[in-house]
Amino acid sequence: MKRLFSYLLIVFVCFGCFAVKAQTVPSTTPLLVRSLQNDAHCRQWVDSIMRRLTLKERIGQLFIYTIAPQQDKANRELLRKVVKDYKVGGLLFSGGLIQNQVPLTNEAQDMAEVPLMITFDGEWGLSMRLRGTPVFPKNRVLGCIQNDYLLYEYGREMARQCREMGVQVNFAPVADVDINPKNPVINTRSFGENPYYVADKVAAYARGLEAGGVLSVSKHFPGHGDTDVDSHESLPILPFTRARLDSIELYPFKKAIQVGLGGIMVGHLEVPALEKQKGLPASLSHSVVSDLLAGELHFQGLVFTDALAMKGVSKNSSVCLQALKAGNDLLLVPRRIKEEVDAILAAVKSGELSESEIERKCRKVLTYKYALGLKQKPHVRLSGLENRLNTEETREVIRRLNQAAITVLDNKSEVLPMDPSIKEVAVLKVGDSQGIQPFIKELSQYTRPVEFSLGQNLPEAEANRLKESLAKYKRILVCVTEQRLAPYQSFFTKFAPGVPVVYLCFIPGKQVSLLGNGISSAGAVVLAHSADSDVQQQTARILYGSAGADGRLSASIGSLYAVGTGVTLERQSVPHFVPDEHGLNARLLAEIDKIAEEGIREGAYPGCQVVVLKDGREMYNKAFGTHVWNKTGDKKAKPVTKTDVYDIASLTKTTATLLAVMKLYDSGRLNLTDRVSTYLPFLQDTDKKNLTVRELLMHESGLPSTILFYQEAIDKESYPGTLFKARADAQHTARIGRQTWANPNFRFREGLTSKTGSAEYTMQVSDNLWLNRSFKKEYLQKIADAPLRDKRYRYSCVGFILLQQVVEARTGMPMDQFLAKEFYTPMGLKRTGYLPLRFLKKDEIVPSSVDPFLRKTTLQGFVHDESAAFLGGISGNAGLFSSAEEVAKVYQMLLNGGELDGKRYLSKETCRIFTTTVSKISRRGLGFDKPARTGQGGPCSESAPASVYGHTGFTGTCAWVDPDNGLVYVFLSNRIYPNAWNNKLMQLDIRTRIQEAIYKAVKK
């Protein structure tokens, strides 16, 4: 009850109006079939199948038949019967061995006239049903992970494994919100107690599945989390109001629908608020399936029933007929297939169920089969299959998931990270002594562990002697691997030594409460969830700051820890160093403080961050000023911290786009001499057909510096006269430049924008402005139509926008996802990315500027650059947000020749080529800016050697790498807040003066 009360507080206080807003869900065609809506080939294939099928066979296409993966004669005869005689639409294998399932899959597909949809019940991977396959963490563990992109990667990997097995549909993820500790069937299958976090995890994992070509099926609609009855055994009742259902149970399903996922499974649940007929399960309810799911929530994907043999529904007569009448598309049928098919045939003949409805559902199923690649019969290769399932990449995904879920539940004594000067620590082992050896071995890298074992039901005298021995050490680590903790409880009831104790729980979270009083008095508590070797090693690293932890508890642990509990421990791979010991004069380096503070005092920027690294060591890292101007000395003004993120503007070019280009070059998927039109067909019949990657990187393509793409979105009939003027008047009231005023009283073209996002309006420009996804085509056509000029040096944002399109064409994914996958996530960069409001709170993002013209709002978390904004915030020229700390890590990786913290991201040769090549006609390199040549003005200080490379950004940013001196220098500010024409940063020469101060501090 306490857990439920806390959720109702979250829902009705923090999200007070959600129940009302939840009623309006935009109609959306699922992503898997969106491109097939007008696809002639798909329509022809579906029509050709429909012409061959009788009414009985069309009904058969709506059946998913459950069959055991056994090779005996009786089972194979049953398989032949359901496939040949009833022409079922798909199969669900109940479990066993891959050596049995694969031959049966191939046999079934060979005999089927219409390719079969092979389904699987793999909520935590193939191992849920198939022995000897990779074991992924349960959802309750995954719910602790804060980086949802890892869930996406997990979904992609699961999709790959499904495809290897010949599976096209996975009955996952579980979208139930687990807020009932007495639930006998959902519990660890759920992502947790918080409906908002559950929804995010459901969307991330399912998106990964579908990106990998496997249909996701979110279950068990309308929500099985708050029940104390197993629907396999009886019919659970959800006795909740509609407002409560909207706020908790339904919320993850609404999110799944909004993001365009393709499948939902309806559970066998009695829900009086939705269905008035007593005892009628949701799976058989027209009110639930048709009126709510398809009607009110606008779900257009495939609707599956839960297994119709379950006792929560099987007592009903003609369940398949009732399920179809309710609105389900596909039926997980019981064994009595003949009776069920006959009942549906009879209903059609009597007019109880229309033949047109059967045809509509059959066409829908066939369309999804086409989308899932079933226009041809697949064949699974059994040879080498186990190796293809158990790859090194698979093990890496599992390792990353397990490690990311580690949660620091408490650190009230701030004992973590541990003090490395303490040379000995006591390790009290609770459970198998040998099972903790991976932890002991890793711990030995930092200190000398002295091991003690706690016996079961220890006599008081022995317990006291053990406590006396432990008390001699300055730190005690209690390592718990035993889940049956009752025999140890008497010891922990009175265990409260006078030195800090850290509990390391290599057990499921629900067992932690059994440690009782001991854990309540602990200095720190770490929930590792399992005793896997990788988890043990990572936990040891977390203790000493060599690895970070940011897990948050997905489900409360009794009264000890509430859902959401967790302490973030940042990785401290760059500890504090004394500059004088590493080649820099600390006194001279401190001059940076004066210059940075001068910039604030003189009005150049409200605040800034400065980081300096020398030979990979952090010499200087400070934040100055406030998020916005604080000229009155208001103590409530938010100060800039070292972890706040800035809009880094054109620094995006080298911190994002160029990294992606280098990665493709490194892997042989892109050459500098490649014509970009090879990958971008819309350029092939234009004057840009011969542009090369090198020309774009060098800014020698002949493309214009910029194009005002946003003007294409404005209705030119919506305002009188001109849009811009050199001076203000009654119409031109919005100042956007030093000598430029704009008319803000225009309208965007009808149908092009929306105040909310949907399947059609996918590109978010600001808080309340979304663009129709069709605008991207116009945007790119504008580039194609722009006249090409002479190929001298001309700095061009347009060129880097094209490079983004090349990256996405070569990788088959959005560039932001590619960068996260290849660089930001494995580098541990948690505050670097596009569209930062997706992963950060708004108050962690420094406002960039105020836009009185286009967006008519303060830009906080949305890119200032209009070209990037009208691409939805993800662009090759701008759009990346980051902190100076994390930007510095990217450039340190480049300085290291493509390696950081022991992991290689780029080859040394690729880094050498891209960081040393210089144009023959300008100071520019391959994407990088460089110091000016003799006698020319430039972006660097006069002491910067010719080897320096980096970039600057319009918002007041820069990053420079000096390989001669082993230096990385990063400066971030919001100099254009609130006015984009503020030029004092350049007038005062702040960035170059700080760089010069660094060089003066370098000891000769």
Side-chain angles (χ1 to χ4, degrees), residues 268-289:
H268 307 315
L269 306 156
E270 183 178 350
V271 194
L274 303 177
E275 170 55 59
K276 302 306 179 187
Q277 183 178 333
K278 184 174 176 60
L280 186 65
S283 52
L284 306 185
S285 167
H286 189 277
S287 297
V288 173
V289 182

Side-chain angles (χ1 to χ4, degrees), residues 696-931:
L696 295 182
L697 290 171
M698 292 280 194
H699 299 276
E700 296 171 6
S701 64
L703 287 166
S705 296
T706 190
I707 297 173
L708 299 181
F709 298 98
Y710 64 82
Q711 289 192 13
E712 296 301 303
I714 294 175
D715 181 355
K716 294 177 174 55
E717 302 298 320
S718 66
Y719 59 90
T722 62
L723 198 57
F724 307 108
K725 276 195 173 181
R727 62 187 62 179
D729 60 24
Q731 293 175 342
H732 299 80
T733 57
R735 188 178 184 184
I736 60 173
R738 189 163 294 281
Q739 293 182 329
T740 307
W741 277 260
N743 182 352
N745 299 309
F746 63 85
R747 292 190 306 274
F748 288 110
R749 284 163 35 204
E750 186 174 353
L752 191 62
T753 64
S754 172
K755 291 183 178 180
T756 59
S758 70
E760 292 301 313
Y761 296 94
T762 57
M763 300 197 296
Q764 190 172 12
V765 179
S766 61
D767 287 308
N768 299 307
L769 179 60
W770 295 73
L771 276 174
N772 193 297
R773 57 194 175 95
S774 64
F775 186 71
K776 182 174 181 180
K777 187 174 181 180
E778 294 185 45
Y779 189 110
L780 297 179
Q781 189 59 45
K782 187 76 173 173
I783 298 176
D785 294 341
L788 206 61
R789 300 166 67 183
D790 59 306
K791 292 194 176 183
R792 59 182 174 84
Y793 166 66
R794 182 183 297 104
Y795 180 78
S796 175
C797 287
V798 180
F800 270 75
I801 293 169
L802 284 182
L803 285 171
Q804 174 203 359
Q805 310 310 311
V806 171
V807 168
E808 294 182 347
R810 296 300 288 139
T811 61
M813 67 172 71
M815 189 172 74
D816 61 319
Q817 294 181 15
F818 180 68
L819 288 163
K821 176 177 179 287
E822 298 292 340
F823 293 98
Y824 306 150
T825 297
M827 289 174 72
L829 307 185
K830 298 176 181 178
R831 312 183 75 76
T832 299
Y834 290 90
L835 303 174
L837 289 170
R838 295 187 302 185
F839 55 91
L840 293 175
K841 297 176 182 177
K842 197 166 191 174
D843 63 2
E844 298 176 283
I845 306 168
V846 179
S848 304
S849 186
V850 175
D851 180 357
F853 167 53
L854 269 180
R855 289 160 282 188
K856 301 176 178 66
T857 187
T858 296
L859 300 176
Q860 188 172 9
F862 295 98
V863 61
H864 166 264
D865 182 271
E866 293 90 351
S867 296
F870 277 69
L871 264 182
I874 302 170
S875 181
N877 72 306
L880 196 70
F881 286 71
S882 189
S883 65
E885 285 182 333
E886 294 202 349
V887 170
K889 287 184 180 181
V890 172
Y891 290 86
Q892 185 64 50
M893 179 271 291
L894 294 170
L895 179 57
N896 293 346
E899 188 176 0
L900 187 72
D901 297 329
K903 181 176 176 61
R904 181 157 293 283
Y905 298 89
L906 297 165
S907 69
K908 288 185 178 180
E909 181 61 12
T910 293
C911 290
R912 185 192 66 79
I913 290 170
F914 277 80
T915 60
T916 60
T917 302
V918 184
S919 169
K920 294 179 180 178
I921 62 173
S922 77
R923 68 171 190 259
R924 292 278 173 173
L926 287 172
F928 292 109
D929 202 355
K930 307 277 286 179

Side-chain angles (χ1 to χ4, degrees), residues 159-379:
R160 185 192 70 79
Q161 294 188 24
C162 284
R163 302 297 291 193
E164 289 283 3
M165 288 292 301
V167 170
Q168 294 83 36
V169 179
N170 188 16
F171 293 136
V174 171
D176 302 319
V177 182
D178 177 38
I179 57 176
N180 188 336
K182 295 181 180 178
N183 193 310
V185 64
I186 299 302
N187 48 68
T188 59
R189 298 164 63 193
S190 166
F191 286 114
E193 294 178 29
N194 186 311
Y196 309 101
Y197 297 159
V198 169
D200 289 343
K201 300 293 185 288
V202 164
Y205 170 78
R207 276 172 162 166
L209 267 181
E210 297 197 355
V214 171
L215 178 67
S216 70
V217 181
S218 300
K219 61 186 185 184
H220 307 82
F221 187 87
H224 203 328
D226 194 358
T227 67
D228 55 9
V229 172
D230 182 352
S231 55
H232 293 85
E233 304 299 330
S234 187
L235 180 62
I237 300 177
L238 276 65
F240 310 122
T241 65
R242 176 59 196 268
R244 149 64 195 260
L245 293 169
D246 270 326
S247 303
I248 297 180
E249 278 78 10
L250 290 173
Y251 184 78
F253 294 100
K254 292 175 180 176
K255 179 72 174 278
I257 295 168
Q258 288 172 344
V259 301
L261 300 177
I264 285 180
M265 178 182 286
V266 184
H268 307 315
L269 306 156
E270 183 178 350
V271 194
L274 303 177
E275 170 55 59
K276 302 306 179 187
Q277 183 178 333
K278 184 174 176 60
L280 186 65
S283 52
L284 306 185
S285 167
H286 189 277
S287 297
V288 173
V289 182
S290 293
D291 297 343
L292 175 60
L293 180 57
E296 186 178 330
L297 301 185
H298 305 289
F299 181 59
Q300 299 176 20
L302 285 179
V303 182
F304 295 75
T305 68
D306 205 345
L308 293 172
M310 293 165 61
K311 293 179 182 178
V313 70
S314 61
K315 295 177 183 178
N316 293 268
S317 61
S318 301
V319 289
C320 291
L321 171 59
Q322 289 194 60
L324 288 179
K325 288 171 64 179
N328 295 282
D329 298 310
L330 283 158
L331 314 168
L332 268 64
V333 298
R335 298 291 182 186
R336 53 183 190 274
I337 186 170
K338 183 180 185 305
E339 293 89 335
E340 297 294 342
V341 172
D342 287 346
I344 296 170
L345 277 170
V348 174
K349 290 177 181 177
S350 70
E352 183 181 354
L353 182 65
S354 71
E355 187 170 346
S356 62
E357 182 67 5
I358 297 295
E359 179 178 348
R360 186 186 67 80
K361 291 180 183 295
C362 187
R363 282 185 175 277
K364 187 176 182 181
V365 170
L366 291 174
T367 300
Y368 272 85
K369 285 189 174 186
Y370 186 94
L372 294 167
L374 288 173
K375 53 185 177 290
Q376 296 176 333
K377 293 181 180 181
H379 181 84

Side-chain angles (χ1 to χ4, degrees), residues 44-55:
Q44 290 166 6
W45 184 82
V46 172
D47 287 344
S48 70
I49 300 296
M50 290 295 292
R51 284 193 293 269
R52 302 203 311 258
L53 297 178
T54 66
L55 173 60

Side-chain angles (χ1 to χ4, degrees), residues 911-985:
C911 290
R912 185 192 66 79
I913 290 170
F914 277 80
T915 60
T916 60
T917 302
V918 184
S919 169
K920 294 179 180 178
I921 62 173
S922 77
R923 68 171 190 259
R924 292 278 173 173
L926 287 172
F928 292 109
D929 202 355
K930 307 277 286 179
R933 295 177 176 178
T934 305
Q936 298 175 334
C940 296
S941 73
E942 61 181 17
S943 297
S947 62
V948 165
Y949 57 90
H951 214 280
T952 58
F954 181 79
T955 52
T957 64
C958 71
W960 297 107
V961 178
D962 178 352
D964 290 3
N965 294 289
L967 291 169
V968 173
Y969 156 49
V970 179
F971 176 93
L972 303 183
S973 76
N974 56 337
R975 66 106 185 163
I976 60 171
Y977 183 88
N979 301 318
W981 59 89
N982 179 5
N983 206 33
K984 291 183 179 179
L985 177 73

Side-chain angles (χ1 to χ4, degrees), residues 931-932 938-946 989 992-993 995-997 999-1000:
C940 296
S941 73
E942 61 181 17
S943 297
D989 220 13
T992 51
R993 285 169 58 201
Q995 189 176 31
E996 187 64 20
Y999 281 114
K1000 288 180 178 178

